Amino acid sequence: MKTKQDFAVFLLRITLAAGFLSATASRLNLWGTHSSGWKNFVQYTAQTNSFFPASVAPAIATASTVAEISLGLLLLVGYQVSKSAVCAAFLTLIFAIAMSISYSLKEPLDYSVFVFSAGAFLLSTFPRYKWTLEQLLHQ
């Protein structure tokens, strides 16, 4: 039974990492013609954070991109998994709340942002993480 749980935790960790890294790859034009691009992301950031002045959108876009790349890489390699998962959960929860305020509750529900956040919270609750850098360093 532990093997199934370990594999499920592994898949959760990897899919959360992939979600962060794919989104940031798109805004950095790493997906080629399928990329959204930086300019579009900054515009989307301004719209999503409509309760802030538009002038702070580039700073929010940069900070969120740095955070998402960092969390994506930490989750991918499996280092500080529990702490990274908590940070990922709060980051995506803040994003979901901003989407709800600026658009409506339908938007974060349609894009499963609350599910992403809940998945990250769930990941932070496990007592151990197999197949991680963390596990290799503590053997």
Side-chain angles (χ1 to χ4, degrees):
M1 190 63 163
K2 283 288 185 196
T3 304
K4 282 184 183 179
Q5 183 181 11
D6 290 336
F7 188 65
V9 171
F10 170 76
L11 286 179
L12 179 57
R13 180 173 60 84
I14 297 304
T15 56
L16 289 170
F20 280 126
L21 295 174
S22 177
T24 56
S26 180
R27 66 187 77 138
L28 298 175
N29 290 315
L30 299 177
W31 283 124
T33 59
H34 299 286
S35 295
S36 59
W38 184 255
K39 183 179 175 184
N40 290 334
F41 178 65
V42 173
Q43 290 173 344
Y44 178 72
T45 300
Q47 293 168 349
T48 304
N49 295 280
S50 61
F51 41 88
F52 288 129
S55 61
V56 301
I60 295 171
T62 301
S64 65
T65 299
V66 169
E68 290 176 53
I69 290 171
S70 300
L71 292 169
L73 291 173
L74 287 168
L75 290 170
L76 184 65
V77 300
Y79 186 71
Q80 297 292 315
V81 176
S82 183
K83 291 176 187 173
S84 297
V86 168
C87 290
F90 280 113
L91 181 64
T92 52
L93 182 59
I94 290 167
F95 177 49
I97 292 168
M99 289 176 79
S100 298
I101 292 168
S102 295
Y103 302 110
S104 73
L105 186 58
K106 181 185 182 309
E107 202 74 13
L109 290 172
D110 283 357
Y111 290 100
S112 303
V113 184
F114 288 112
V115 173
F116 198 98
S117 181
F121 273 121
L122 177 63
L123 182 62
S124 74
T125 66
F126 291 94
R128 64 191 169 99
Y129 303 97
K130 293 194 79 158
W131 310 303
T132 63
L133 179 61
E134 206 169 85
Q135 181 187 26
L136 288 173
L137 293 174
H138 293 103
Q139 282 187 359

